[in-house]
């Protein structure tokens, strides 16, 4: 009973610590990739060749290295957005390559080529952010027993909501309920 629960708690804690390390690696790779995207845009706007560290090949960028480093991680592979993450990463690189090659052959760059790159970049960012949220959900935002958001999950949602309210110049209300003796209800239902 109690010994098994203690072992499960230790396993859950180790799993969560491991997920946090994976998330830290994802964040680092994500930031490097976003910097890469800005480097491409800067080189196009300033009509300079991309810097020596701007790697167009999707298999050699920092994000691809992170993807390869976690390829055998069951916790990552089972995240809902993992396959989409690979796919969108490749599409975004393909659009970047097309943009850079087009820019080297013709100026001005056709609007459709630029818009395609921006659309793929935006989709990539969305998928990365959803994937990161999936990992956080697995790590600490969802109660393993009930499947409901825990305190940390609620705080994350509140921060997201706060940012949305600020961005949209809106308002927000919060209602909280505290149920006394919830254990009795939980044990009976």
């Amino acid at each position: 009973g109690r010994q098994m629960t203690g072992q499960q708690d230790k396993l859950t804690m180790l799993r969560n610590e491991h997920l946090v390390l994976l998330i830290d690696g994802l964040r680092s790779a994500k930031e490097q990739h976003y910097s890469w995207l800005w480097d491409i845009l800067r080189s196009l706007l300033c009509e300079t060749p991309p810097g020596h560290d701007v790697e167009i090949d999707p298999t050699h960028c920092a994000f691809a290295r992170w993807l390869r480093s976690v390829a055998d991680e069951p916790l990552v592979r089972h995240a809902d957005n993992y396959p989409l993450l690979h796919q969108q990463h490749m599409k975004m690189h393909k659009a970047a390559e097309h943009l850079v090659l087009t820019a080297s052959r013709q100026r001005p760059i056709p609007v459709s080529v630029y818009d395609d790159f921006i659309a793929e970049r935006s989709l990539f960012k969305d998928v990365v952010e959803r994937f990161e949220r999936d990992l956080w959900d697995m790590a600490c935002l969802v109660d393993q027993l009930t499947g409901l958001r825990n305190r940390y999950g609620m705080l994350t949602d509140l921060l997201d909501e706060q940012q949305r309210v600020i961005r949209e110049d809106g308002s927000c209300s919060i209602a909280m309920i505290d149920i006394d003796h919830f254990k009795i209800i939980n044990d009976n239902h």
Side-chain angles (χ1 to χ4, degrees), residues 48-160:
T48 60
H52 67 281
D53 59 338
V54 176
E55 179 62 62
I56 298 296
D57 183 347
T59 62
H60 291 98
C61 74
F63 199 83
R65 285 191 297 275
W66 181 82
L67 283 171
R68 280 192 303 276
S69 75
V70 299
D72 293 329
E73 293 284 345
L75 295 170
V76 172
R77 281 197 330 267
H78 291 100
D80 292 338
N81 288 302
Y82 184 68
L84 186 57
L85 187 64
H86 267 285
Q87 182 182 40
Q88 194 56 46
H89 179 247
M90 296 299 280
K91 285 182 177 181
M92 194 260 327
H93 268 274
K94 189 176 217 83
E97 180 179 26
H98 182 59
L99 180 66
V100 169
L101 289 174
T102 300
S104 71
R105 291 189 310 258
Q106 84 182 71
R107 292 295 177 143
I109 300 166
V111 172
S112 62
V113 173
Y114 178 78
D115 287 347
D116 182 48
F117 169 71
I118 294 300
E120 294 299 341
R121 179 197 65 113
S122 295
L123 287 170
F124 175 72
K125 283 183 74 172
D126 290 346
V127 171
V128 169
E129 289 168 10
R130 281 195 314 260
F131 182 74
E132 185 175 346
R133 279 193 304 271
D134 286 350
L135 293 178
W136 275 118
D137 284 349
M138 283 191 284
C140 62
L141 303 180
V142 176
D143 179 85
Q144 298 297 316
L145 180 62
T146 65
L148 299 174
R149 306 287 267 173
N150 63 20
R151 176 176 172 256
Y152 300 108
M154 185 174 59
L155 289 174
T156 299
D157 291 342
L158 288 172
L159 289 172
D160 288 345

